[in-house]
Amino acid sequence: MSFGNWKPTVVVQGIVWILYGLLLQPEPGTATLPLLMDSVIQALAELEQKVPTTEAGHSAAAWLLSAQGSVTQSPLHHFLLEGKSLNTTKLDSPSLSPELRGLMGEVARHSVQDGKEYGVVLVPDGSTVAVEPLLAGLRAGLRGHRIINLPLESTATPPDAGVTFPDLGATSPGLSDASPDVTSTDVGATSPEVRPGSPDVQASSPDTKAKLPTTVDSLLVVTLARDLGLNFLQGPQTWNHSGLGTEGCWDQLSVPRTFTLLGPEASPLTTAFLNGALDGALLGDYLSQTPEPRPPLSHLLSQYYGAGVAGDPGFRSNFRRHNGAALTSAPTLTQQVWGALILLQRLEPAHPRLQGMSQEELAQVATHATKEFTEAFLGCPAIHPRCRWGAAPYQGRPTPLKLPLGFLYVHHTYLPAPPCTSFERCAADMRSMQRFHQQTLGWADIGYSFVVGSDGYVYEGRGWHWVGAHTLGHNSRGFGVALIGNYTAVLPSEAALRAVRDELPRCAVRAGLLRPDYALLGHRQLVRTECPGDRLFNLLSTWPRFDKNVKPRTVRRASSRSKRKPPPTILLSTDLQ
């Protein structure tokens, strides 16, 4: 191969292949590193250093196949990512250090067993990510050509025939106006199967005819569509109780080793898996549209799990749900899930869950899988559970709420005054507020039901099921949601506002936790306080769910002498409970 024909992307593709090979060949008895994304990035960086991009002595096929021989791929992944014309040429792959090899062996394959989740790592924004779908997305993006023709059988339904979709009943949320308050990368400008900012999927009538898919987007199939389809193949009885998006807790955040799921009946499509799938789809889409020379994968992942890709703070893991909702429309994703199931039928005729299923049945599975994913995951805010921010135990016995509730009460924390923009800062603010509420005020726990940071995340306080201490005299009637910061003269970020205005209540209504006719109130409408701050309250009064019939309580103004005193250095929370 001449130097003039060599392309850097080929080496990058080879590195991903090599990493896959190393994933499945851990050295026995080697000590492993903490299960952190930083360690995965370190492994990529080590491989990149051993495969210099100036070296022209290795052909494209050699690098691509250097690890392929040691990787056991499913027929679907083989068809979509490797193609049919593979030879058996092999090349010795660069070796990782024993520590990194041991780590990568642990995260090689994602699985859920006995309440534990394997193949996941902790990332800097506090979320947990499955490595397998992330790497699958990177490989699909590096491949470039994403639209693959389906190998339809002669006995299959003709491509021009229609299949009836079931009635979805309601519009799926979260598929428009999905970008965060900072400008995000255009994650679908050129792909025919990817349409950013697509409108919400409309309710389908029973006589709506959908065309049988004839192509699939390899990127969406290997990251999301295949697993969504398989998860919902168990039957309609699981569609409303799919266990989709179950969260979990690490044994420790500094040196994470074991991840225990919070849901006893979690499906393989946990929050960590869906995080990894979305990250793989977003980064794969970025790579497929980025011209040469593409950035090293270690740099790309460092940016995505850091301050943002190419200096764009909107294109980072904190906003994966918002960017993921803009990546593809629900009708397109439905077609991809359906196409993935058709492809599995063609490639694995003996698949136990696909044998004997008609195209209409597959279409129904695809429709409900997409509906559940868009409504229960993409359309909901990402909530860090209590264990993630280091909550102290509840003191005493909590009082259960009588659900559903009819109100959402909005607060600001006042102190801490600066909005928190990182997981480290937001988690520290949560612990600080809990200490004040428990140790100074003598309460059983942090008072709020939920707290919203400016880092793209919601933080669980007392949660959906326990009476809080946030709105004196009204704690059992509504959820108390606080935004970290002082919003007397400024407004929270648009992402934080959207979580309070749209995402959190919408998902609570869907789950039966909040009444469909709920009302939204500012703290000052029920208690003599300036909370949630003049600027935020004025904005709340323009929201559709705001109850204008409840007038704000008058706050006694301080004397001119007291105004000259410095403000207190503790949270002004004495009027909460």
Side-chain angles (χ1 to χ4, degrees):
M1 176 179 175
S2 67
F3 184 81
N5 292 329
W6 176 86
K7 294 182 179 180
T9 295
V10 169
V11 174
V12 179
Q13 289 177 315
I15 290 170
V16 179
W17 275 109
I18 293 166
L19 186 57
Y20 256 87
L22 294 170
L23 289 180
L24 299 183
Q25 294 179 329
E27 293 182 1
T30 57
T32 59
L33 298 170
L35 298 179
L36 297 168
M37 180 58 70
D38 288 344
S39 300
V40 176
I41 294 172
Q42 184 181 347
L44 277 170
E46 237 185 66
L47 288 175
E48 288 164 343
Q49 290 174 358
K50 296 176 180 181
V51 186
T53 56
T54 56
E55 182 174 342
H58 300 291
S59 68
W63 279 119
L64 284 173
L65 296 171
S66 59
Q68 190 274 334
S70 62
V71 179
T72 304
Q73 290 294 320
S74 70
L76 182 140
H77 280 73
H78 181 91
F79 178 84
L80 293 177
L81 299 181
E82 284 88 73
K84 302 177 182 179
S85 60
L86 292 177
N87 56 46
T88 57
T89 304
K90 295 183 181 180
L91 183 68
D92 290 337
S93 60
S95 60
L96 287 173
S97 65
E99 294 81 8
L100 287 175
R101 183 181 286 271
L103 172 94
M104 299 313 294
E106 284 196 62
V107 300
R109 288 289 178 262
H110 176 263
S111 65
V112 172
Q113 301 174 27
D114 300 324
K116 300 289 194 299
E117 188 169 9
Y118 301 93
V120 297
V121 294
L122 179 65
V123 306
D125 69 0
S127 63
T128 302
V129 168
V131 175
E132 184 180 1
L134 167 64
L135 290 180
L138 294 176
R139 292 170 59 203
L142 288 168
R143 190 175 184 273
H145 180 67
R146 291 165 45 180
I147 306 305
I148 308 296
N149 292 322
L150 288 175
L152 296 177
E153 293 178 342
S154 59
T155 57
T157 306
D160 58 349
V163 174
T164 301
F165 271 115
D167 187 0
L168 291 183
T171 301
S172 299
L175 291 170
S176 62
D177 302 323
S179 59
D181 56 310
V182 285
T183 303
S184 63
T185 298
D186 185 2
V187 291
T190 61
S191 171
E193 293 298 323
V194 179
R195 286 173 262 176
S198 300
D200 292 356
V201 58
Q202 298 299 316
S204 300
S205 60
D207 60 350
T208 298
K209 297 292 183 179
K211 295 289 186 179
L212 187 76
T214 58
T215 63
V216 291
D217 182 337
S218 60
L219 174 63
L220 291 177
V221 170
V222 300
T223 53
L224 277 169
R226 170 188 174 274
D227 291 277
L228 277 175
L230 289 176
N231 187 71
F232 284 82
L233 274 175
Q234 300 175 44
Q237 68 274 11
T238 67
W239 288 348
N240 294 326
H241 305 281
S242 62
L244 190 74
T246 302
E247 258 290 2
C249 294
W250 288 100
D251 53 344
Q252 53 183 326
L253 296 182
S254 57
V255 188
R257 296 294 310 149
T258 303
F259 192 70
T260 303
L261 292 167
L262 294 173
E265 298 181 359
S267 81
L269 299 190
T270 62
T271 292
F273 180 87
L274 294 175
N275 285 344
L278 280 177
D279 292 350
L282 290 165
L283 291 173
D285 182 75
Y286 176 83
L287 287 169
S288 72
Q289 299 182 54
T290 301
E292 301 283 2
R294 287 169 174 157
L297 293 181
S298 60
H299 291 182
L300 179 63
L301 293 184
S302 294
Q303 292 177 347
Y304 181 76
Y305 294 110
V309 174
D312 180 2
F315 190 20
R316 56 188 171 125
S317 56
N318 303 61
F319 301 111
R320 62 169 63 88
R321 296 196 192 200
H322 304 298
N323 292 333
L327 180 65
T328 182
S329 68
T332 296
L333 183 56
T334 300
Q335 285 281 307
Q336 295 302 316
V337 175
W338 189 9
L341 294 177
I342 293 173
L343 183 56
L344 281 171
Q345 269 191 335
R346 303 296 182 260
L347 299 176
E348 301 181 57
H351 196 292
R353 283 190 279 175
L354 286 166
Q355 282 185 318
M357 292 197 70
S358 68
Q359 292 307 315
E360 186 165 358
E361 289 173 324
L362 294 183
Q364 289 177 336
V365 170
T367 300
H368 285 278
T370 299
K371 177 181 171 66
E372 185 74 10
F373 173 67
T374 54
E375 291 184 359
F377 191 79
L378 281 188
C380 291
I383 301 177
H384 281 321
R386 291 170 59 90
C387 60
R388 199 68 50 82
W389 57 267
Y394 191 97
Q395 296 177 357
R397 299 185 65 178
T399 303
L401 288 164
K402 296 180 180 180
L403 303 170
L405 304 185
F407 297 92
L408 198 69
Y409 307 131
V410 180
H411 303 250
H412 71 166
T413 62
Y414 188 80
L415 290 174
C420 62
T421 57
S422 69
F423 169 70
E424 183 179 15
R425 182 69 264 163
C426 292
D429 287 346
M430 290 294 293
R431 294 190 296 271
S432 174
M433 286 186 286
Q434 186 188 41
R435 282 195 302 270
F436 177 72
H437 289 180
Q438 287 184 321
Q439 299 176 14
T440 303
L441 300 182
W443 297 355
D445 197 3
I446 188 170
Y448 306 115
S449 305
F450 295 94
V451 178
V452 181
S454 293
D455 63 338
Y457 288 98
V458 175
Y459 291 76
E460 182 186 20
R462 299 205 189 185
W464 297 118
H465 299 285
W466 309 118
V467 174
H470 44 76
T471 311
L472 186 64
H474 301 267
N475 291 315
S476 63
R477 302 180 61 197
F479 297 106
V481 180
L483 295 101
I484 294 180
N486 176 3
Y487 298 111
T488 301
V490 298
L491 284 174
S493 68
E494 179 56 35
L497 291 170
R498 183 171 50 250
V500 177
R501 180 188 61 231
D502 304 322
E503 297 166 348
L504 197 65
R506 180 174 60 211
C507 291
V509 169
R510 184 180 187 274
L513 304 166
L514 192 64
R515 292 207 310 259
D517 62 345
Y518 77 92
L520 183 144
L521 295 168
H523 189 195
R524 66 174 60 180
Q525 290 175 273
L526 300 172
V527 177
R528 294 184 187 278
T529 177
E530 294 183 358
C531 178
D534 292 343
R535 191 75 188 277
L536 177 55
F537 182 77
N538 290 339
L539 179 63
L540 293 182
S541 66
T542 68
W543 290 3
R545 293 290 185 152
F546 181 79
D547 190 346
K548 294 183 172 62
N549 296 320
V550 182
K551 303 302 179 183
R553 305 289 295 272
T554 302
V555 179
R556 181 180 299 173
R557 298 292 176 179
S559 66
S560 58
R561 179 179 179 183
S562 64
K563 286 181 180 179
R564 292 193 296 267
K565 295 180 181 180
T569 57
I570 60 175
L571 295 174
L572 301 183
S573 305
T574 54
D575 58 351
L576 296 181
Q577 191 172 35

